[in-house]
Amino acid sequence: MNVPHPALAESEPGLSRYAALAGALRRRVIDGEWPAGTALPAETRLATEHGVALGTLRRSLELLAEQGLIERRHGKGTFVRMGLSGATMMRFFRFGSGDGEVPQSRILSRQTVVASPEVARRLGIARGDPVLRLQRLRSLGGQPRLVEEIWLPLPLFAGLLDAPTAQWGDLLYPLFAERCGVAVARATDEIGFAPLTAAQGRSLELSAGHPGVAVTRQAFDFSGRCVELRITRGDAFAFHYTVTIT
Amino acid sequence: MNVPHPALAESEPGLSRYAALAGALRRRVIDGEWPAGTALPAETRLATEHGVALGTLRRSLELLAEQGLIERRHGKGTFVRMGLSGATMMRFFRFGSGDGEVPQSRILSRQTVVASPEVARRLGIARGDPVLRLQRLRSLGGQPRLVEEIWLPLPLFAGLLDAPTAQWGDLLYPLFAERCGVAVARATDEIGFAPLTAAQGRSLELSAGHPGVAVTRQAFDFSGRCVELRITRGDAFAFHYTVTIT
DNA sequence: AAGTGGTCTAGACCACTCT
DNA sequence: GAGTGGTCTAGACCACTTG
């Protein structure tokens, strides 16, 4: 018979055992009990620890692996994932001849500002809250191709306030992870079209009013909180984006 | 009549039993043994039929469900899916004020032509093979918004050659399923921008050279074969597309 | 009440990785 | 060889759907 396990702190009502267990493990990962890149205890260990059968524990880990929180490697162990790398996000993004290669990056400006209503709405913070605003130029083969405007909530990103931007490298997400402990789990891209302003045109060596594409990205961490708002602009006619629908 | 499937599970080298079983079931579904919308035999029945444990059979069905080939409904059964509806593909597509609503459609032309090198490449057929070419106008609130050029391989789509286009309705994919037995399992959209030609401008009540967006779609059936090539064009300023990256 | 898929168990054995 | 995750089994019981 199925005696309800008294030691089960995971016995949330209306949830299957493996789902509740997955939630509990998820919390332990997010709370930093096992830092990114490290291995979780072995299956058998976790199963006895939580008083469930091995199959049930495995079901929980499969759930978390599906969500991208952990990664399982046969013969090695179960590891906490670092989040999206930033290079994966260029996967479906093409500009000019670049076949998904990572563009070189230069930070043009860095300021602390108060969030506008629109920025606050998309970041899920209050109007007037402080945010870090970056302007960034991305080039391919020495040619400027994309200008970016990036908003990051403070104080979460305080670690970027004084780091010398010249040494930031071409990808921001590894920097987020390293200096601020922020992992990007998921993102949405919104693609739209608008003529370039005079300033945007200058940065891209195009005329004001030239047809431009705008990709508005919101990036989220594993707890679902929006951690980045970014608007990327470039020459519409050089732009290409591929999406798979299932 | 119902020949048992004896060593199928053991016969595929280098594959797990459930993976081999999934492949076998997949073939039976694609071959039409269980038509779209009908239920498969119960789990216990399929398991004994193939000589595997229930858990193994379930693993196979879970695989096929992930791939979108079948759909499991608790208490009811396991059903063969119809494929994408066409409405799901408008999910992330916005035009003007339409919040994902399905535009009205009118077929402007229907011809049988030979495939150009580019069309043949994308459809995965030989140059010079016959294809059905459609031109289609899609409107929102009576306003023409999108012009589409669609290529469908023949003789697969012969069922569309003489059907009166006035009665086709606003979605093509249900028509594909009904008249040609074609189910769309997956699609890719490629987004780019280009000025409208004079002819495209006329259809959309815009001037020649007006900034236009072009969405090139390839649709695939469950066996991975490309069954449709479509280029949709519209006013770049009214265009909006949302993508989620994980 | 009967039939379906969903959950959970307990244990055996296989395949991969590292030392 | 020791430790990890992956596969497979056999059976019990639960939850949902329909007649």
Side-chain angles (χ1 to χ4, degrees), chain B residues 16-18 51-56 59 74-76:
Chain B
S16 58
R17 207 173 277 199
Y18 74 82
V52 298
L54 189 60
T56 305
R59 198 87 156 76
H74 195 170
K76 298 192 71 174

Side-chain angles (χ1 to χ4, degrees), chain B residues 2-159:
Chain B
N2 230 339
V3 188
H5 301 260
L8 256 182
E10 290 87 0
S11 65
E12 310 264 349
L15 268 188
S16 58
R17 207 173 277 199
Y18 74 82
L21 217 187
L25 291 171
R26 180 189 185 75
R27 252 169 273 133
R28 292 172 75 179
V29 168
I30 290 176
D31 290 351
E33 181 166 343
W34 304 294
T38 63
L40 268 61
E43 294 182 336
T44 50
R45 176 97 189 290
L46 280 175
T48 56
E49 226 180 70
H50 288 85
V52 298
L54 189 60
T56 305
L57 184 273
R58 282 183 56 78
R59 198 87 156 76
S60 301
L61 293 184
E62 275 159 24
L63 249 187
L64 298 180
E66 262 176 44
Q67 298 168 356
L69 186 68
I70 58 175
E71 189 182 357
R72 319 201 66 193
R73 288 185 227 150
H74 195 170
K76 298 192 71 174
T78 302
F79 298 82
V80 178
R81 285 199 45 188
M82 314 279 199
L84 300 177
S85 74
T88 39
M89 324 224 6
M90 295 293 290
R91 231 181 341 177
F92 301 127
F93 202 102
R94 299 285 182 280
F95 234 86
S97 57
D99 54 341
E101 91 184 86
V102 175
Q104 300 165 311
S105 296
R106 187 161 62 88
I107 303 291
L108 300 179
S109 78
R110 171 175 55 176
Q111 317 160 268
T112 301
V113 300
V114 297
S116 70
E118 170 69 0
V119 168
R121 185 182 65 77
R122 301 197 87 128
L123 283 176
I125 61 179
R127 275 183 307 185
D129 277 1
V131 293
L132 180 60
R133 178 174 175 276
L134 303 173
Q135 281 182 296
R136 192 165 172 242
L137 184 66
R138 312 192 73 176
S139 307
L140 280 172
Q143 274 293 317
R145 294 294 191 182
L146 302 167
V147 281
E148 291 184 327
E149 216 170 347
I150 304 172
W151 292 269
L152 306 169
L154 290 171
L156 183 58
F157 282 90

Side-chain angles (χ1 to χ4, degrees), chain A residues 23 47 49 71 78 83 87 94 97 104 141 144 188 190 217 228 239:
Chain A
E49 225 180 68
E71 188 182 358
T78 302
R94 298 282 181 283
S97 58
Q104 300 165 313
T188 66
E190 282 179 56
R217 165 171 304 166
E228 180 198 32
F239 169 81

Side-chain angles (χ1 to χ4, degrees), chain A:
Chain A
M1 69 165 41
N2 224 339
V3 183
H5 217 287
L8 278 184
E10 287 83 33
S11 53
E12 316 224 351
L15 268 186
S16 58
R17 207 115 132 195
Y18 74 82
L21 217 187
L25 291 171
R26 180 191 186 74
R27 252 170 272 131
R28 293 173 73 178
V29 168
I30 291 176
D31 290 352
E33 180 167 344
W34 305 293
T38 62
L40 269 60
E43 294 181 336
T44 49
R45 177 97 190 289
L46 281 175
T48 56
E49 225 180 68
H50 287 86
V52 299
L54 189 60
T56 306
L57 183 273
R58 283 183 55 77
R59 198 87 155 75
S60 302
L61 293 184
E62 275 159 24
L63 249 187
L64 297 180
E66 261 176 44
Q67 299 168 355
L69 186 69
I70 60 175
E71 188 182 358
R72 319 202 67 191
R73 287 185 228 150
H74 193 170
K76 298 191 71 173
T78 302
F79 298 83
V80 178
R81 285 198 46 188
M82 313 280 199
L84 299 178
S85 74
T88 38
M89 326 225 4
M90 293 295 290
R91 233 181 340 178
F92 302 127
F93 204 102
R94 298 282 181 283
F95 233 89
S97 58
D99 53 339
E101 90 185 86
V102 175
Q104 300 165 313
S105 296
R106 187 160 62 88
I107 303 292
L108 300 179
S109 78
R110 170 176 55 178
Q111 316 160 267
T112 300
V113 300
V114 298
S116 68
E118 170 70 359
V119 168
R121 186 182 64 78
R122 300 197 89 127
L123 283 176
I125 61 179
R127 276 182 306 185
D129 277 1
V131 294
L132 180 60
R133 177 175 177 273
L134 302 173
Q135 283 182 296
R136 192 167 174 241
L137 184 66
R138 312 193 73 177
S139 307
L140 281 171
Q143 274 293 317
R145 294 294 192 182
L146 302 167
V147 281
E148 293 184 326
E149 217 170 349
I150 304 172
W151 292 268
L152 306 169
L154 289 171
L156 183 59
F157 283 89
L160 296 183
L161 285 172
D162 47 10
T165 60
Q167 296 158 27
W168 278 10
D170 294 332
L171 291 173
L172 287 182
Y173 292 174
L175 198 74
F176 291 178
E178 199 182 312
R179 299 193 68 94
C180 311
V182 172
V184 173
R186 181 176 62 83
T188 66
D189 277 357
E190 282 179 56
I191 301 165
F193 177 89
L196 298 176
T197 65
Q200 292 157 0
R202 260 195 307 281
S203 299
L204 296 172
E205 300 176 3
L206 295 168
S207 57
H210 185 95
V213 63
V215 179
T216 304
R217 165 171 304 166
Q218 288 175 278
F220 303 85
D221 67 9
F222 282 107
S223 66
R225 176 180 50 168
C226 182
V227 294
E228 180 198 32
L229 170 63
R230 176 192 307 211
I231 302 181
T232 304
R233 292 172 199 275
D235 179 1
F237 296 138
F239 169 81
H240 211 67
Y241 201 102
T242 304
V243 190
T244 299
I245 304 168
T246 47

